[in-house]
PDB file of all heavy atoms in Angstrom:
ATOM      1  N   HIS A  28      29.246  50.305  57.530  1.00  0.00           N
ATOM      2  CA  HIS A  28      28.564  49.095  57.989  1.00  0.00           C
ATOM      3  C   HIS A  28      29.586  48.100  58.527  1.00  0.00           C
ATOM      4  O   HIS A  28      30.697  47.972  58.001  1.00  0.00           O
ATOM      5  CB  HIS A  28      27.781  48.480  56.825  1.00  0.00           C
ATOM      6  CG  HIS A  28      26.769  47.463  57.243  1.00  0.00           C
ATOM      7  ND1 HIS A  28      27.111  46.206  57.685  1.00  0.00           N
ATOM      8  CD2 HIS A  28      25.406  47.517  57.277  1.00  0.00           C
ATOM      9  CE1 HIS A  28      26.010  45.529  57.969  1.00  0.00           C
ATOM     10  NE2 HIS A  28      24.958  46.298  57.731  1.00  0.00           N
ATOM     11  N   GLY A  29      29.212  47.372  59.551  1.00  0.00           N
ATOM     12  CA  GLY A  29      30.148  46.481  60.223  1.00  0.00           C
ATOM     13  C   GLY A  29      30.360  45.127  59.567  1.00  0.00           C
ATOM     14  O   GLY A  29      31.180  44.344  60.048  1.00  0.00           O
ATOM     15  N   MET A  30      29.654  44.817  58.485  1.00  0.00           N
ATOM     16  CA  MET A  30      29.810  43.505  57.862  1.00  0.00           C
ATOM     17  C   MET A  30      31.197  43.358  57.241  1.00  0.00           C
ATOM     18  O   MET A  30      31.820  44.327  56.811  1.00  0.00           O
ATOM     19  CB  MET A  30      28.749  43.294  56.782  1.00  0.00           C
ATOM     20  CG  MET A  30      28.876  44.251  55.609  1.00  0.00           C
ATOM     21  SD  MET A  30      27.568  44.055  54.385  1.00  0.00           S
ATOM     22  CE  MET A  30      27.942  45.415  53.270  1.00  0.00           C
ATOM     23  N   ASP A  31      31.675  42.113  57.191  1.00  0.00           N
ATOM     24  CA  ASP A  31      32.883  41.791  56.435  1.00  0.00           C
ATOM     25  C   ASP A  31      32.482  41.496  54.995  1.00  0.00           C
ATOM     26  O   ASP A  31      31.480  40.805  54.759  1.00  0.00           O
ATOM     27  CB  ASP A  31      33.586  40.566  57.024  1.00  0.00           C
ATOM     28  CG  ASP A  31      34.129  40.827  58.414  1.00  0.00           C
ATOM     29  OD1 ASP A  31      34.625  41.940  58.656  1.00  0.00           O
ATOM     30  OD2 ASP A  31      34.049  39.915  59.269  1.00  0.00           O
ATOM     31  N   VAL A  32      33.251  42.007  54.043  1.00  0.00           N
ATOM     32  CA  VAL A  32      32.964  41.762  52.627  1.00  0.00           C
ATOM     33  C   VAL A  32      34.224  41.243  51.956  1.00  0.00           C
ATOM     34  O   VAL A  32      35.292  41.853  52.076  1.00  0.00           O
ATOM     35  CB  VAL A  32      32.487  43.045  51.915  1.00  0.00           C
ATOM     36  CG1 VAL A  32      32.106  42.733  50.459  1.00  0.00           C
ATOM     37  CG2 VAL A  32      31.303  43.680  52.641  1.00  0.00           C
ATOM     38  N   ALA A  33      34.107  40.120  51.250  1.00  0.00           N
ATOM     39  CA  ALA A  33      35.210  39.562  50.474  1.00  0.00           C
ATOM     40  C   ALA A  33      34.719  39.339  49.049  1.00  0.00           C
ATOM     41  O   ALA A  33      33.676  38.714  48.837  1.00  0.00           O
ATOM     42  CB  ALA A  33      35.690  38.248  51.075  1.00  0.00           C
ATOM     43  N   ALA A  34      35.438  39.880  48.068  1.00  0.00           N
ATOM     44  CA  ALA A  34      35.005  39.824  46.674  1.00  0.00           C
ATOM     45  C   ALA A  34      36.077  39.202  45.794  1.00  0.00           C
ATOM     46  O   ALA A  34      37.277  39.401  46.011  1.00  0.00           O
ATOM     47  CB  ALA A  34      34.667  41.227  46.173  1.00  0.00           C
ATOM     48  N   SER A  35      35.632  38.468  44.791  1.00  0.00           N
ATOM     49  CA  SER A  35      36.492  37.950  43.732  1.00  0.00           C
ATOM     50  C   SER A  35      35.852  38.326  42.408  1.00  0.00           C
ATOM     51  O   SER A  35      34.748  37.847  42.094  1.00  0.00           O
ATOM     52  CB  SER A  35      36.643  36.431  43.841  1.00  0.00           C
ATOM     53  OG  SER A  35      37.336  35.913  42.719  1.00  0.00           O
ATOM     54  N   CYS A  36      36.488  39.194  41.642  1.00  0.00           N
ATOM     55  CA  CYS A  36      35.876  39.766  40.438  1.00  0.00           C
ATOM     56  C   CYS A  36      36.524  39.191  39.181  1.00  0.00           C
ATOM     57  O   CYS A  36      37.748  39.173  39.048  1.00  0.00           O
ATOM     58  CB  CYS A  36      36.008  41.280  40.462  1.00  0.00           C
ATOM     59  SG  CYS A  36      35.116  42.055  41.834  1.00  0.00           S
ATOM     60  N   ASN A  37      35.669  38.758  38.256  1.00  0.00           N
ATOM     61  CA  ASN A  37      36.122  38.013  37.086  1.00  0.00           C
ATOM     62  C   ASN A  37      35.452  38.551  35.825  1.00  0.00           C
ATOM     63  O   ASN A  37      34.284  38.930  35.839  1.00  0.00           O
ATOM     64  CB  ASN A  37      35.760  36.529  37.245  1.00  0.00           C
ATOM     65  CG  ASN A  37      36.182  35.977  38.591  1.00  0.00           C
ATOM     66  OD1 ASN A  37      37.320  35.590  38.778  1.00  0.00           O
ATOM     67  ND2 ASN A  37      35.265  35.961  39.551  1.00  0.00           N
ATOM     68  N   ARG A  38      36.212  38.556  34.717  1.00  0.00           N
ATOM     69  CA  ARG A  38      35.693  39.029  33.435  1.00  0.00           C
ATOM     70  C   ARG A  38      35.325  37.828  32.566  1.00  0.00           C
ATOM     71  O   ARG A  38      36.108  36.875  32.436  1.00  0.00           O
ATOM     72  CB  ARG A  38      36.742  39.872  32.727  1.00  0.00           C
ATOM     73  CG  ARG A  38      36.235  40.589  31.482  1.00  0.00           C
ATOM     74  CD  ARG A  38      35.431  41.812  31.830  1.00  0.00           C
ATOM     75  NE  ARG A  38      36.250  42.866  32.421  1.00  0.00           N
ATOM     76  CZ  ARG A  38      35.737  43.908  33.073  1.00  0.00           C
ATOM     77  NH1 ARG A  38      34.429  44.031  33.224  1.00  0.00           N
ATOM     78  NH2 ARG A  38      36.542  44.834  33.579  1.00  0.00           N
ATOM     79  N   ILE A  39      34.138  37.869  31.981  1.00  0.00           N
ATOM     80  CA  ILE A  39      33.685  36.797  31.095  1.00  0.00           C
ATOM     81  C   ILE A  39      33.209  37.411  29.777  1.00  0.00           C
ATOM     82  O   ILE A  39      32.938  38.612  29.705  1.00  0.00           O
ATOM     83  CB  ILE A  39      32.558  35.961  31.745  1.00  0.00           C
ATOM     84  CG1 ILE A  39      31.305  36.825  31.990  1.00  0.00           C
ATOM     85  CG2 ILE A  39      33.055  35.317  33.035  1.00  0.00           C
ATOM     86  CD1 ILE A  39      30.067  36.022  32.357  1.00  0.00           C
ATOM     87  N   PRO A  40      33.075  36.606  28.712  1.00  0.00           N
ATOM     88  CA  PRO A  40      32.774  37.158  27.394  1.00  0.00           C
ATOM     89  C   PRO A  40      31.290  37.405  27.126  1.00  0.00           C
ATOM     90  O   PRO A  40      30.747  36.986  26.099  1.00  0.00           O
ATOM     91  CB  PRO A  40      33.358  36.114  26.439  1.00  0.00           C
ATOM     92  CG  PRO A  40      33.272  34.837  27.181  1.00  0.00           C
ATOM     93  CD  PRO A  40      33.517  35.194  28.625  1.00  0.00           C
ATOM     94  N   THR A  41      30.607  38.090  28.051  1.00  0.00           N
ATOM     95  CA  THR A  41      29.298  38.645  27.746  1.00  0.00           C
ATOM     96  C   THR A  41      29.486  40.131  27.455  1.00  0.00           C
ATOM     97  O   THR A  41      30.412  40.765  27.970  1.00  0.00           O
ATOM     98  CB  THR A  41      28.312  38.469  28.913  1.00  0.00           C
ATOM     99  OG1 THR A  41      28.922  38.937  30.119  1.00  0.00           O
ATOM    100  CG2 THR A  41      27.929  37.013  29.083  1.00  0.00           C
ATOM    101  N   LEU A  42      28.589  40.704  26.662  1.00  0.00           N
ATOM    102  CA  LEU A  42      28.740  42.095  26.260  1.00  0.00           C
ATOM    103  C   LEU A  42      28.330  43.045  27.378  1.00  0.00           C
ATOM    104  O   LEU A  42      29.094  43.929  27.771  1.00  0.00           O
ATOM    105  CB  LEU A  42      27.906  42.371  25.002  1.00  0.00           C
ATOM    106  CG  LEU A  42      28.017  43.788  24.437  1.00  0.00           C
ATOM    107  CD1 LEU A  42      29.458  44.131  24.085  1.00  0.00           C
ATOM    108  CD2 LEU A  42      27.099  43.948  23.229  1.00  0.00           C
ATOM    109  N   ASP A  43      27.115  42.874  27.895  1.00  0.00           N
ATOM    110  CA  ASP A  43      26.587  43.724  28.961  1.00  0.00           C
ATOM    111  C   ASP A  43      25.943  42.848  30.031  1.00  0.00           C
ATOM    112  O   ASP A  43      25.400  41.786  29.727  1.00  0.00           O
ATOM    113  CB  ASP A  43      25.521  44.695  28.424  1.00  0.00           C
ATOM    114  CG  ASP A  43      26.084  45.731  27.479  1.00  0.00           C
ATOM    115  OD1 ASP A  43      27.075  46.389  27.852  1.00  0.00           O
ATOM    116  OD2 ASP A  43      25.533  45.892  26.375  1.00  0.00           O
ATOM    117  N   GLY A  44      25.950  43.339  31.249  1.00  0.00           N
ATOM    118  CA  GLY A  44      25.268  42.656  32.348  1.00  0.00           C
ATOM    119  C   GLY A  44      26.235  41.927  33.253  1.00  0.00           C
ATOM    120  O   GLY A  44      26.889  40.966  32.850  1.00  0.00           O
ATOM    121  N   HIS A  45      26.352  42.400  34.504  1.00  0.00           N
ATOM    122  CA  HIS A  45      27.208  41.746  35.498  1.00  0.00           C
ATOM    123  C   HIS A  45      26.362  40.773  36.320  1.00  0.00           C
ATOM    124  O   HIS A  45      25.376  41.169  36.953  1.00  0.00           O
ATOM    125  CB  HIS A  45      27.821  42.774  36.443  1.00  0.00           C
ATOM    126  CG  HIS A  45      28.896  43.619  35.816  1.00  0.00           C
ATOM    127  ND1 HIS A  45      29.381  43.410  34.545  1.00  0.00           N
ATOM    128  CD2 HIS A  45      29.588  44.691  36.314  1.00  0.00           C
ATOM    129  CE1 HIS A  45      30.312  44.303  34.280  1.00  0.00           C
ATOM    130  NE2 HIS A  45      30.461  45.083  35.338  1.00  0.00           N
ATOM    131  N   LEU A  46      26.756  39.515  36.309  1.00  0.00           N
ATOM    132  CA  LEU A  46      26.112  38.467  37.095  1.00  0.00           C
ATOM    133  C   LEU A  46      27.003  38.169  38.293  1.00  0.00           C
ATOM    134  O   LEU A  46      28.234  38.066  38.156  1.00  0.00           O
ATOM    135  CB  LEU A  46      25.933  37.205  36.245  1.00  0.00           C
ATOM    136  CG  LEU A  46      25.286  35.993  36.919  1.00  0.00           C
ATOM    137  CD1 LEU A  46      23.857  36.282  37.342  1.00  0.00           C
ATOM    138  CD2 LEU A  46      25.334  34.783  35.972  1.00  0.00           C
ATOM    139  N   GLU A  47      26.388  38.026  39.484  1.00  0.00           N
ATOM    140  CA  GLU A  47      27.175  37.851  40.699  1.00  0.00           C
ATOM    141  C   GLU A  47      26.587  36.743  41.566  1.00  0.00           C
ATOM    142  O   GLU A  47      25.362  36.625  41.699  1.00  0.00           O
ATOM    143  CB  GLU A  47      27.228  39.167  41.478  1.00  0.00           C
ATOM    144  CG  GLU A  47      27.818  40.293  40.646  1.00  0.00           C
ATOM    145  CD  GLU A  47      27.863  41.641  41.334  1.00  0.00           C
ATOM    146  OE1 GLU A  47      27.428  41.753  42.497  1.00  0.00           O
ATOM    147  OE2 GLU A  47      28.333  42.601  40.688  1.00  0.00           O
ATOM    148  N   ASN A  48      27.473  35.951  42.148  1.00  0.00           N
ATOM    149  CA  ASN A  48      27.092  34.893  43.084  1.00  0.00           C
ATOM    150  C   ASN A  48      27.400  35.387  44.486  1.00  0.00           C
ATOM    151  O   ASN A  48      28.556  35.615  44.828  1.00  0.00           O
ATOM    152  CB  ASN A  48      27.868  33.607  42.799  1.00  0.00           C
ATOM    153  CG  ASN A  48      27.864  33.207  41.327  1.00  0.00           C
ATOM    154  OD1 ASN A  48      28.912  32.975  40.747  1.00  0.00           O
ATOM    155  ND2 ASN A  48      26.697  33.149  40.729  1.00  0.00           N
ATOM    156  N   VAL A  49      26.357  35.545  45.310  1.00  0.00           N
ATOM    157  CA  VAL A  49      26.501  36.171  46.622  1.00  0.00           C
ATOM    158  C   VAL A  49      26.218  35.147  47.721  1.00  0.00           C
ATOM    159  O   VAL A  49      25.243  34.382  47.643  1.00  0.00           O
ATOM    160  CB  VAL A  49      25.531  37.363  46.766  1.00  0.00           C
ATOM    161  CG1 VAL A  49      25.706  38.038  48.130  1.00  0.00           C
ATOM    162  CG2 VAL A  49      25.750  38.376  45.645  1.00  0.00           C
ATOM    163  N   PHE A  50      27.058  35.167  48.754  1.00  0.00           N
ATOM    164  CA  PHE A  50      26.868  34.347  49.945  1.00  0.00           C
ATOM    165  C   PHE A  50      26.826  35.301  51.134  1.00  0.00           C
ATOM    166  O   PHE A  50      27.835  35.949  51.439  1.00  0.00           O
ATOM    167  CB  PHE A  50      28.012  33.347  50.106  1.00  0.00           C
ATOM    168  CG  PHE A  50      28.168  32.405  48.939  1.00  0.00           C
ATOM    169  CD1 PHE A  50      28.789  32.830  47.767  1.00  0.00           C
ATOM    170  CD2 PHE A  50      27.691  31.104  49.006  1.00  0.00           C
ATOM    171  CE1 PHE A  50      28.936  31.973  46.688  1.00  0.00           C
ATOM    172  CE2 PHE A  50      27.838  30.236  47.929  1.00  0.00           C
ATOM    173  CZ  PHE A  50      28.454  30.675  46.765  1.00  0.00           C
ATOM    174  N   ALA A  51      25.667  35.410  51.780  1.00  0.00           N
ATOM    175  CA  ALA A  51      25.493  36.367  52.872  1.00  0.00           C
ATOM    176  C   ALA A  51      25.252  35.633  54.181  1.00  0.00           C
ATOM    177  O   ALA A  51      24.399  34.737  54.266  1.00  0.00           O
ATOM    178  CB  ALA A  51      24.324  37.298  52.576  1.00  0.00           C
ATOM    179  N   GLU A  52      25.997  36.003  55.202  1.00  0.00           N
ATOM    180  CA  GLU A  52      25.815  35.459  56.547  1.00  0.00           C
ATOM    181  C   GLU A  52      24.989  36.445  57.362  1.00  0.00           C
ATOM    182  O   GLU A  52      25.288  37.644  57.398  1.00  0.00           O
ATOM    183  CB  GLU A  52      27.165  35.222  57.215  1.00  0.00           C
ATOM    184  CG  GLU A  52      28.031  34.202  56.484  1.00  0.00           C
ATOM    185  CD  GLU A  52      29.378  33.995  57.150  1.00  0.00           C
ATOM    186  OE1 GLU A  52      29.513  34.352  58.350  1.00  0.00           O
ATOM    187  OE2 GLU A  52      30.303  33.490  56.481  1.00  0.00           O
ATOM    188  N   THR A  53      23.959  35.937  58.020  1.00  0.00           N
ATOM    189  CA  THR A  53      23.043  36.791  58.769  1.00  0.00           C
ATOM    190  C   THR A  53      22.963  36.349  60.225  1.00  0.00           C
ATOM    191  O   THR A  53      23.111  35.164  60.543  1.00  0.00           O
ATOM    192  CB  THR A  53      21.635  36.753  58.157  1.00  0.00           C
ATOM    193  OG1 THR A  53      21.166  35.397  58.119  1.00  0.00           O
ATOM    194  CG2 THR A  53      21.632  37.326  56.751  1.00  0.00           C
ATOM    195  N   ALA A  54      22.693  37.322  61.100  1.00  0.00           N
ATOM    196  CA  ALA A  54      22.558  37.015  62.528  1.00  0.00           C
ATOM    197  C   ALA A  54      21.312  36.182  62.794  1.00  0.00           C
ATOM    198  O   ALA A  54      21.309  35.313  63.670  1.00  0.00           O
ATOM    199  CB  ALA A  54      22.518  38.309  63.331  1.00  0.00           C
ATOM    200  N   GLU A  55      20.259  36.443  62.045  1.00  0.00           N
ATOM    201  CA  GLU A  55      19.009  35.705  62.205  1.00  0.00           C
ATOM    202  C   GLU A  55      18.932  34.548  61.223  1.00  0.00           C
ATOM    203  O   GLU A  55      19.487  34.612  60.121  1.00  0.00           O
ATOM    204  CB  GLU A  55      17.810  36.634  61.964  1.00  0.00           C
ATOM    205  CG  GLU A  55      17.699  37.794  62.928  1.00  0.00           C
ATOM    206  CD  GLU A  55      16.495  38.662  62.612  1.00  0.00           C
ATOM    207  OE1 GLU A  55      15.571  38.181  61.908  1.00  0.00           O
ATOM    208  OE2 GLU A  55      16.480  39.824  63.060  1.00  0.00           O
ATOM    209  N   ASP A  56      18.236  33.485  61.624  1.00  0.00           N
ATOM    210  CA  ASP A  56      17.926  32.421  60.683  1.00  0.00           C
ATOM    211  C   ASP A  56      16.902  32.942  59.681  1.00  0.00           C
ATOM    212  O   ASP A  56      15.946  33.637  60.045  1.00  0.00           O
ATOM    213  CB  ASP A  56      17.348  31.207  61.414  1.00  0.00           C
ATOM    214  CG  ASP A  56      18.385  30.518  62.291  1.00  0.00           C
ATOM    215  OD1 ASP A  56      19.593  30.651  61.997  1.00  0.00           O
ATOM    216  OD2 ASP A  56      17.985  29.869  63.273  1.00  0.00           O
ATOM    217  N   VAL A  57      17.107  32.625  58.403  1.00  0.00           N
ATOM    218  CA  VAL A  57      16.192  33.092  57.363  1.00  0.00           C
ATOM    219  C   VAL A  57      15.753  31.911  56.514  1.00  0.00           C
ATOM    220  O   VAL A  57      16.450  30.906  56.404  1.00  0.00           O
ATOM    221  CB  VAL A  57      16.838  34.165  56.464  1.00  0.00           C
ATOM    222  CG1 VAL A  57      17.110  35.439  57.240  1.00  0.00           C
ATOM    223  CG2 VAL A  57      18.121  33.651  55.815  1.00  0.00           C
ATOM    224  N   SER A  58      14.595  32.043  55.906  1.00  0.00           N
ATOM    225  CA  SER A  58      14.109  31.079  54.931  1.00  0.00           C
ATOM    226  C   SER A  58      14.210  31.694  53.544  1.00  0.00           C
ATOM    227  O   SER A  58      14.363  32.913  53.394  1.00  0.00           O
ATOM    228  CB  SER A  58      12.651  30.711  55.224  1.00  0.00           C
ATOM    229  OG  SER A  58      11.802  31.827  55.007  1.00  0.00           O
ATOM    230  N   THR A  59      14.111  30.853  52.530  1.00  0.00           N
ATOM    231  CA  THR A  59      14.126  31.385  51.169  1.00  0.00           C
ATOM    232  C   THR A  59      12.940  32.324  50.951  1.00  0.00           C
ATOM    233  O   THR A  59      13.057  33.324  50.238  1.00  0.00           O
ATOM    234  CB  THR A  59      14.081  30.242  50.139  1.00  0.00           C
ATOM    235  OG1 THR A  59      12.931  29.419  50.378  1.00  0.00           O
ATOM    236  CG2 THR A  59      15.341  29.388  50.222  1.00  0.00           C
TER     237      THR A  59
END
């Protein structure tokens, strides 16, 4: 896929479950 991806991965003191904050740039305007 041609998208650019930049990641910053961090460990926190939860036992299970990865929570992620995502910022996506799209060619089209989108609404929530």
Side-chain angles (χ1 to χ4, degrees):
H28 195 287
M30 65 183 175
D31 294 322
V32 184
S35 173
C36 296
N37 311 277
R38 189 78 68 195
I39 64 168
T41 50
L42 182 58
D43 293 309
H45 288 354
L46 179 63
E47 302 178 0
N48 312 128
V49 181
F50 301 78
E52 298 179 19
T53 57
E55 298 180 19
D56 292 335
V57 293
S58 67
T59 56

